[in-house]
Amino acid sequence: MPRFVYLDHHATTPCDPRVVEAMLPWFTERPGNAASRQHRRGQQACAAVETAREHVAALIGGSPKEVVFTSGATEALNLAIKGAAGAGPPGRRRLWASAIEHPAVLDPARSLAREGFELELMPVGEAGRVEPEWLRGRLGEDALLVALMAANNEIGTLQPLGPVAAMAREAGALFLVDAVQAVGKVPFDVGASGADLVALSAHKIAGPKGVGCLWVRRGQPRVRLRPLIDGGGQERGLRSGTLDVSGIVGFGEAARLARLEGSDDARRMARLRDRLLAGLMAALDGVSVNGSLEDRLPNNLNVAFCGVEASRLLEGLDDVDLSSGSACSTASLEPSHVLRALGRTDDVILSSVRFGLGRGTTESDIDFALERVIAGVRALRG
Ligand SMILES: Cc1ncc(COP(=O)(O)O)c(C=O)c1O
C-alpha cells in the first residue's frame, strides 16, 4: 500500500482496534435494546452501557450517574447551552463564551442571542488564553452560563479553568467546559475544573464517531436542563432515543484505554511534536508558532509558513493529511476565527497549518511529514 501519514488527529483519530473488537458483538450477537429490561438480551445491553458509563466517568473523575450519552459533543454542547437557557430562572439571560470556542458552542449561543439572550465573547491574548480577570465586574445576577474550552482544537492552548469556574460559581452562573480535545491528552478532572457541565466526544479519544456525552454535575445547587429531544425518557429524560449500545461500548473502551495509557501517549506525542517543530525551524525560515508553546496540548502544533498559501500547500501533499488555518470544523474556507482572535493578520492565518498527532504517530511518520512539508514550502516559495 502506498504510504500516507495522517496528522489531522484533532479532526478525528482512528478507532483503536481494541475498541472495534469490544464493539463488534453488540452489532450482531447481542442485539438487545438497553431499555428492554424484561429479557436477558436487553439486560446484557443495559449492563454494557452501565459499564461504559463507569469507564467514561472514571476518565474524568465523575460519577457514572452524571454521564448523559449523546450523539457526540456537538449535541452535548447544544444540550448544555440551550438546555440551560430553557430551564434557567427567567432573570438569567446573559452568556459568555471565549472567542475561540468551537462552533458547537458559539452557534447555539448565537442562536440564543437571536432569541433575546445576551452573548459576550471573552477575548484571548496573543498566546490564545483568556484572562479570567476580564470577567470580574461583568458577571452579575443575570448571568446564566460561562463556556470555556479546556483545550482548543486548532492551536491546542489550555485554558485557566479554575479561576473562571470560581467567578462563575460566585455569580450563580453555570460553568460549561468543552473538554473534547483535552481528555486523554492532559489530566482533566471534573472536580478540579470546577465545571457544572462537561462535553466529551468518543471519536477524539480513539472511539467511534457519533457518540459523546454531557457530564452534568449532581448535588447542590442543582443543574437544571431542558432536554432537546423528547421521547422514551432515556438518559434520565435528558436524551430520549434508543441508546447506541455498540457506540457507547466503544466509547467506554476508548475511555478505559485513555485512562490507562493517556499519559504515556501524551509524553510520546509531545516528544514527536517537538521533533516536528525543531525540524521545521531548522530547515525553513519564516516559521512562526500560533499560540502558547507552554500551555498547549502535547499533540498539537500550529504554525504559519510566511509567504505560503496553506491551502495550496495542503493540496500538493497527497500523502500527508493536515489542516489549514481556514475553519477546520466546517467545510467553509473562512479564515479561522481562532487565529483571528489571537490578532493574526489574514496573511498569517491563510498561511497557517495545523499538525495533530495521534496515539499511532511514529518518529518515522514525523520525518516523512517533515520531508514532504519542507519540500512543499520550498516549492511554493520558490
Ligand atoms: C473542541 C471541540 N468541540 C466540539 C467538537 C464537536 O464534537 P463532535 O464531533 O463529537 O460533535 C469538536 C470536534 O471537532 C471539537 O474539536
Side-chain angles (χ1 to χ4, degrees), residues 311-365:
S311 57
R312 288 190 60 205
L313 175 66
L314 268 46
E315 265 164 38
L317 293 172
D318 50 9
D319 44 13
V320 182
D321 296 336
L322 299 168
S323 95
S324 72
S326 39
C328 67
S329 45
T330 66
S332 103
L333 283 178
E334 285 292 298
S336 148
H337 70 286
V338 173
L339 298 178
R340 192 158 267 171
L342 301 192
R344 297 287 189 269
T345 61
D346 276 2
D347 279 353
V348 172
I349 297 173
L350 295 175
S351 68
S352 292
V353 174
R354 176 183 71 177
F355 298 81
L357 283 65
R359 179 179 286 168
T361 306
T362 62
E363 198 169 289
S364 130
D365 290 339

Side-chain angles (χ1 to χ4, degrees), residues 72-74 77 102 104 149 153 178 180-181 201 203-204:
T74 299
L77 291 161
H102 191 275
M149 65 203 324
N153 49 302
D178 172 349
V180 165
Q181 297 287 344
S201 178
H203 74 104
K204 312 287 186 175

Side-chain angles (χ1 to χ4, degrees), residues 127-378:
R129 281 164 60 90
V130 300
E131 175 48 68
E133 279 306 307
W134 181 91
L135 276 174
R136 199 169 296 287
R138 284 186 155 84
L139 291 172
E141 287 182 356
D142 53 357
L144 173 69
L145 179 135
V146 179
L148 182 59
M149 65 203 324
N152 183 267
N153 49 302
E154 292 187 39
I155 53 173
T157 42
L158 308 175
Q159 297 294 342
L161 300 178
V164 173
M167 279 192 232
R169 191 177 318 118
E170 205 180 311
L174 293 172
F175 182 43
L176 166 63
V177 174
D178 172 349
V180 165
Q181 297 287 344
V183 287
K185 313 289 184 315
V186 290
F188 179 84
D189 178 89
V190 286
S193 74
D196 298 296
L197 298 157
V198 174
L200 304 182
S201 178
H203 74 104
K204 312 287 186 175
I205 59 166
K209 296 170 183 64
V211 195
C213 75
L214 183 66
W215 173 85
V216 183
R217 181 184 55 70
R218 280 164 75 101
Q220 296 303 326
R222 237 188 100 194
V223 178
R224 289 177 197 280
L225 297 177
R226 189 166 77 190
L228 298 179
I229 299 174
D230 295 314
Q234 287 90 343
E235 299 300 273
R236 291 184 284 113
L238 279 173
R239 207 292 187 165
S240 286
T242 300
L243 292 179
D244 171 5
V245 178
S246 51
I248 289 170
V249 166
F251 186 12
E253 180 63 3
R256 190 183 71 80
L257 294 171
R259 187 155 172 253
L260 285 179
E261 300 171 4
S263 49
D264 286 347
D265 288 343
R267 258 192 300 278
R268 210 186 46 256
M269 290 190 288
R271 191 176 52 74
L272 293 176
R273 187 268 316 273
D274 294 345
R275 179 183 181 90
L276 175 63
L277 178 59
L280 293 173
M281 291 289 197
L284 298 167
D285 291 330
V287 178
S288 58
V289 177
N290 292 312
S292 158
L293 263 182
E294 284 84 51
D295 300 303
R296 192 178 196 110
L297 287 174
N299 62 328
N300 174 279
L301 184 65
N302 190 312
V303 291
F305 297 107
C306 182
V308 171
E309 218 180 295
S311 57
R312 288 190 60 205
L313 175 66
L314 268 46
E315 265 164 38
L317 293 172
D318 50 9
D319 44 13
V320 182
D321 296 336
L322 299 168
S323 95
S324 72
S326 39
C328 67
S329 45
T330 66
S332 103
L333 283 178
E334 285 292 298
S336 148
H337 70 286
V338 173
L339 298 178
R340 192 158 267 171
L342 301 192
R344 297 287 189 269
T345 61
D346 276 2
D347 279 353
V348 172
I349 297 173
L350 295 175
S351 68
S352 292
V353 174
R354 176 183 71 177
F355 298 81
L357 283 65
R359 179 179 286 168
T361 306
T362 62
E363 198 169 289
S364 130
D365 290 339
I366 294 298
D367 293 345
F368 183 83
L370 270 171
E371 189 191 306
R372 289 290 198 272
V373 171
I374 291 165
V377 168
R378 284 187 179 142

